[in-house]
Amino acid sequence: MWAVQPSAGLDAWLYRADPVEGCDGCARAMLRLAAAERAGAQTARYEASRDVRAHPRHAEDAAPDL
């Protein structure tokens, strides 16, 4: 039982995933997300989405060209 009902905005944020094209980690997380959605596994959906959100800007993390 929720003490406070989660809002639609929070749910949308928790499950949002914006993968970076060409990133193997994002691709794997998106496959897990799709499988979790098919299975109706909310915790697995959140974890896969979180993995994508954890590193959304791979280009900014790359070493600069010298």
Side-chain angles (χ1 to χ4, degrees):
M1 185 89 185
W2 293 93
V4 175
Q5 292 295 319
S7 69
L10 176 60
D11 284 348
W13 181 83
L14 286 174
Y15 298 125
R16 183 188 61 177
D18 188 20
V20 173
E21 189 175 331
C23 173
D24 292 337
C26 286
R28 286 190 302 271
M30 292 304 291
L31 289 173
R32 291 191 343 260
L33 178 58
E37 287 174 342
R38 287 190 301 274
Q42 292 178 337
T43 300
R45 282 177 62 201
Y46 164 71
E47 291 173 350
S49 297
R50 180 194 61 204
D51 288 347
V52 174
R53 285 193 316 273
H55 51 88
R57 295 182 190 95
H58 297 287
E60 292 178 11
D61 294 337
D65 294 332
L66 298 176

